[in-house]
Amino acid sequence: MFKKYVSLGLFVLLPVFLFALEMEESVFTRGLNYYIRREFKLAAEEWKNLLDQNPNHTRAKTYMEKAYNKYNQMEINFYKGLHFFLKEQYCESIPFFKNTLMINPRHEKALNHIKIAYNLCKELMDKKQLAAEMVKEAQEYQKEEEFSKAIALYKLALLLDPDNQQAKVQIIRSQSEEMEYNKNLELMLHLQAGREYHNQKRYLEAIQEWSKALMIDEDNQEAKQMLELDKKLLKDQQLKEKINHLISRGIESYINRQYNESKEAFEQVLNLDPENETAKEYLAKINDILEKLSHEKTVREEAEKHFSLGLAYFNKEEYEPALEEFTITLEIMPDHTKAKEYRDRTLALLKKLQKKREEEKSSLTQELLAKGIKYYQMGEYEMAIDMFKQVIQIDPENKYAQEYLRLALQALQLKKESDITEDSPYYIIVKNLEKEGLDYLARKEYDLAQYYFDEIKEIFPLNKMANRNLLKIMYVTDKDKVADILDAHFQKGKEHYNSKDYLRALYEFQLVKDINPAYPEINSYIARAKNPPSLYARELKRSFNLGLYHYSKKEYQKAIEQWKKVIELDRSPLSNKYIGDCLSNIAKAQYRIKAEKGILVTDSEIVSETSKTQKTIKKHYYLGVAHYTSGNYQEALAEWEKVIKLDPYHAGALKNIKKVKEKLESAK
C-alpha cells in the first residue's frame, strides 16, 4: 500500500520541501546580513544552525569559517589591547584596539577603550597631527573599497580631533559607499549562487537565488532570464523525475507480482508521456497476466467456496457432505493441498465411523434379536415379531431374524387358531359352543357333543380343545378309525418338522400323545419339535471360539464380549449348549481382570466360584419347582427370578416364570 502512494506522497511532501528550502535560505541570508554588518559571531551562529539542519550546505560552511576567523581575530586584538590597558600601558593598547575597530568599526568596547587610551597616552602630544595622518590612511582604504577600515580610521581621527571636518565628511561618504558596496556584494553573491545551482541542475535553489537577486536589483537581466529558464527546466526535471519514479515503482511492483499497482504506475506514466515505450511494453505484459489471473481467481474462488463449505460440514462432523465438497474442490483445483489433507482426514474418519456404525448396528441387531428370541420362548409372539422386524429393518439380509420372524408369525397364527382369546370377536360364540359340547360330552351324548366341537372347527380348524375332544369322542365311538386319524396327524407333524415348522409339528405330535400316550416314537418326536437345531450353529461356534482366542491372548474384556454375544444368540430350546460354558468362561475372565488389578485370585478359586454359581442356580431352580408343586406360586416365582439374575437365559426358568405368572393371573 505504501508503494502504491509513493508518487502521491512526493507531491504532497513537495510544498513541505519547498518550505524547508526557503527556511534554509532565510537563515543563510540573515547570517549574511550579520556578516556584512560585521556582527561575525551572530553570523557564524546562524550558519551553524543551518548546518545542523543541512550539513551539505557548502556556502554556509564556507562563510561560517570566515565569520569565526574574523570574530577570533577581532577578539584576540581586543583582549590584547585590554591587557595593556588594564596595566595602564595605554599607548601599547591603542594599536590592538585600532586593529579591532578595523575589523568591526562598531565594536563599542574597543571604541570606548581606545578613546580613554588616547586621552591617557602621554606620548601622544600632537593629537591633531595624528588625526590628520589617520584621515589620510583612511582615504587610501576608501579608494581600495575597504570601507569598514576607512570608517574605523575616520572614527579614530574624530576621537583625537573632534573638529576634523575632513574626517566628518569622509566618514558619511564611506558609510554610504559601504552600503552600496554591500548591496552590490549581496547581489553578486546571489547571482554567483544562482549560476552554481543552475550548473548543478539544482533548479529550485537556483530559482530562489535569482529571485533574491531581483529583490536587490529588479532590472538585473541575467537574473530575469535565468529565473524563467530555470523555472522551465525545473518543471521538465520534475516531470522527468516523476516519470522515472513511476517507472521504477511499476517495475518493482511487477517484479513483486503486484500487478494492479504496477499497472496503475505505468498508466500514470502514459498520462504524462503518451509515447513512453517502457510503459507501453510493461502494460501489455501486465494485461496478459491479469487476464490469466482473473480466470485463475475465478477458479480459485469457486474451489475455496466448496472447500469452506466442506470445512463447515467437517467441523460439524457431517463427514459425508464434507467429503463430497472436498472432492469437488479437488476436481476444480487439483493442487489444493488443504483440500487433499481434509479429504484424506475425512476418509479416515468415515472409515472409523463406518466401522463404529457397523459395530453399533451389529450390537443393536444382536440385542434386538436376543430380545425377540426371549419373547418367542416366552410365547410373547407379537413382541417377538416386533423385535425381529426391527432387526430386518436395520439389516434386511439377517437370515436369523428372517427365520425367527417366520416362526413367530406361524406361532402367533397357530396360537390364535388353537387357543381362542378374549379379544377375539368369536370368543363368546366359541365359549358357548365349547360349554355345550363339554356338557353333552359329560352326559356321554357324543353325537351332540361332536356337533358343537365340529362347529368350533368350522371357525378355527386348529382349535386344540375342539380337536382333542373330537378325537376322544372318536376313540370311544370308533377306535379303529382313530388309529388312522392319529397316523395322519403324526405324518402331518413330521411334514411340519421337516419344513422347520416346529410349532405346528409339536401341535400335531402333542395331539397324538393326548389321545394315545403310547403311540410309537411320539415322545421322541415331541422332544425333537421342542428342541429343534440351532438356527445358526456356525455363528455360535465362531463367536465362542473367538472368545477363547481373546482369552488366550489375555484380552479378557474382548473375550467376555464374545461370550455374551453367544449367550444372546444361543436361544434354541434344544439345549443352549454354549450358555453354560460361556457363563463359566465369563466368570474366569472376570476373575482374571481382577487379578490384573492386583486382586489375587487362584485358578482353584476361579473354578470354585464358577462351580458355586452353577450350584446356586440349580438350588434356586429346584426350590422354585418345589414351591410350584406345593401350590406356592409367589415363592416359586421369586426363586426362578433369582435364577434369571444369575443366568438371564436359563430356558427352564424362563418357561416356568411364564407358567407361574399365568397361574397367578388366573387366580385373581
Short mmCIF file of all heavy atoms in Angstrom, two decimals, residues 13-24 204-205 208 234 238:
data_model
loop_
_atom_site.label_atom_id
_atom_site.label_comp_id
_atom_site.label_asym_id
_atom_site.label_seq_id
_atom_site.Cartn_x
_atom_site.Cartn_y
_atom_site.Cartn_z
N LEU A 13 4.44 16.02 -0.24
CA LEU A 13 5.58 16.50 0.55
C LEU A 13 6.34 17.63 -0.13
O LEU A 13 7.15 18.30 0.50
CB LEU A 13 6.55 15.34 0.82
CG LEU A 13 6.02 14.24 1.74
CD1 LEU A 13 7.02 13.09 1.79
CD2 LEU A 13 5.80 14.78 3.15
N LEU A 14 6.10 17.85 -1.45
CA LEU A 14 6.86 18.86 -2.18
C LEU A 14 6.72 20.25 -1.56
O LEU A 14 7.72 20.94 -1.35
CB LEU A 14 6.43 18.87 -3.65
CG LEU A 14 7.25 19.78 -4.57
CD1 LEU A 14 8.71 19.36 -4.55
CD2 LEU A 14 6.68 19.73 -5.99
N PRO A 15 5.50 20.70 -1.22
CA PRO A 15 5.39 22.02 -0.57
C PRO A 15 6.17 22.08 0.74
O PRO A 15 6.74 23.11 1.06
CB PRO A 15 3.88 22.17 -0.32
CG PRO A 15 3.25 21.26 -1.31
CD PRO A 15 4.19 20.11 -1.46
N VAL A 16 6.19 20.97 1.45
CA VAL A 16 6.96 20.92 2.70
C VAL A 16 8.44 21.10 2.40
O VAL A 16 9.16 21.83 3.09
CB VAL A 16 6.71 19.59 3.43
CG1 VAL A 16 7.54 19.53 4.71
CG2 VAL A 16 5.24 19.44 3.73
N PHE A 17 8.89 20.43 1.34
CA PHE A 17 10.31 20.53 0.94
C PHE A 17 10.65 21.97 0.55
O PHE A 17 11.69 22.52 0.94
CB PHE A 17 10.57 19.57 -0.22
CG PHE A 17 11.94 19.73 -0.84
CD1 PHE A 17 13.08 19.33 -0.17
CD2 PHE A 17 12.07 20.31 -2.09
CE1 PHE A 17 14.32 19.48 -0.73
CE2 PHE A 17 13.31 20.47 -2.66
CZ PHE A 17 14.45 20.05 -1.99
N LEU A 18 9.77 22.59 -0.24
CA LEU A 18 9.99 23.97 -0.68
C LEU A 18 10.04 24.91 0.52
O LEU A 18 10.87 25.81 0.60
CB LEU A 18 8.89 24.40 -1.64
CG LEU A 18 8.89 23.68 -3.01
CD1 LEU A 18 7.67 24.10 -3.81
CD2 LEU A 18 10.18 23.98 -3.77
N PHE A 19 9.14 24.66 1.47
CA PHE A 19 9.11 25.49 2.66
C PHE A 19 10.42 25.36 3.44
O PHE A 19 10.99 26.35 3.90
CB PHE A 19 7.93 25.09 3.54
CG PHE A 19 7.86 25.84 4.85
CD1 PHE A 19 7.44 27.16 4.89
CD2 PHE A 19 8.24 25.22 6.03
CE1 PHE A 19 7.39 27.85 6.09
CE2 PHE A 19 8.20 25.91 7.23
CZ PHE A 19 7.77 27.23 7.26
N ALA A 20 10.91 24.12 3.57
CA ALA A 20 12.18 23.87 4.27
C ALA A 20 13.33 24.58 3.57
O ALA A 20 14.22 25.14 4.20
CB ALA A 20 12.44 22.37 4.36
N LEU A 21 13.29 24.53 2.23
CA LEU A 21 14.35 25.18 1.45
C LEU A 21 14.32 26.68 1.65
O LEU A 21 15.37 27.33 1.83
CB LEU A 21 14.16 24.83 -0.03
CG LEU A 21 15.36 25.07 -0.94
CD1 LEU A 21 16.55 24.23 -0.50
CD2 LEU A 21 14.98 24.70 -2.38
N GLU A 22 13.14 27.26 1.65
CA GLU A 22 13.01 28.70 1.88
C GLU A 22 13.52 29.08 3.26
O GLU A 22 14.16 30.12 3.45
CB GLU A 22 11.55 29.11 1.73
CG GLU A 22 11.06 29.09 0.29
CD GLU A 22 9.59 29.43 0.17
OE1 GLU A 22 8.98 29.71 1.23
OE2 GLU A 22 9.06 29.42 -0.95
N MET A 23 13.24 28.23 4.24
CA MET A 23 13.72 28.50 5.60
C MET A 23 15.24 28.49 5.65
O MET A 23 15.86 29.34 6.31
CB MET A 23 13.16 27.44 6.56
CG MET A 23 11.66 27.57 6.81
SD MET A 23 11.22 29.12 7.63
CE MET A 23 12.04 28.92 9.20
N GLU A 24 15.87 27.55 4.94
CA GLU A 24 17.34 27.49 4.90
C GLU A 24 17.92 28.78 4.31
O GLU A 24 18.87 29.37 4.86
CB GLU A 24 17.79 26.29 4.07
CG GLU A 24 17.59 24.95 4.75
CD GLU A 24 18.12 23.80 3.89
OE1 GLU A 24 18.71 24.09 2.83
OE2 GLU A 24 17.93 22.64 4.29
N LEU A 204 15.63 24.42 -8.37
CA LEU A 204 14.80 25.02 -7.34
C LEU A 204 15.61 26.02 -6.51
O LEU A 204 15.18 27.15 -6.26
CB LEU A 204 14.21 23.94 -6.44
CG LEU A 204 13.18 24.41 -5.42
CD1 LEU A 204 11.98 25.03 -6.12
CD2 LEU A 204 12.72 23.24 -4.55
N GLU A 205 16.84 25.62 -6.08
CA GLU A 205 17.70 26.53 -5.33
C GLU A 205 18.13 27.71 -6.20
O GLU A 205 18.20 28.87 -5.74
CB GLU A 205 18.94 25.79 -4.82
CG GLU A 205 18.64 24.76 -3.75
CD GLU A 205 18.50 23.37 -4.32
OE1 GLU A 205 17.96 23.26 -5.44
OE2 GLU A 205 18.91 22.40 -3.65
N GLN A 208 15.46 30.35 -6.38
CA GLN A 208 15.42 31.19 -5.18
C GLN A 208 16.52 32.26 -5.20
O GLN A 208 16.30 33.40 -4.79
CB GLN A 208 15.54 30.31 -3.95
CG GLN A 208 14.31 29.45 -3.71
CD GLN A 208 14.36 28.77 -2.37
OE1 GLN A 208 15.42 28.59 -1.80
NE2 GLN A 208 13.19 28.40 -1.87
N LEU A 234 13.12 23.35 -14.27
CA LEU A 234 12.64 22.67 -13.06
C LEU A 234 11.38 21.86 -13.35
O LEU A 234 11.25 20.72 -12.91
CB LEU A 234 12.37 23.70 -11.96
CG LEU A 234 11.76 23.13 -10.67
CD1 LEU A 234 12.73 22.16 -10.01
CD2 LEU A 234 11.39 24.25 -9.70
N GLN A 238 11.25 17.99 -12.93
CA GLN A 238 10.28 17.34 -12.04
C GLN A 238 9.42 16.32 -12.78
O GLN A 238 9.12 15.24 -12.26
CB GLN A 238 9.40 18.40 -11.37
CG GLN A 238 10.13 19.23 -10.33
CD GLN A 238 9.27 20.34 -9.77
OE1 GLN A 238 8.29 20.76 -10.39
NE2 GLN A 238 9.65 20.84 -8.59
#
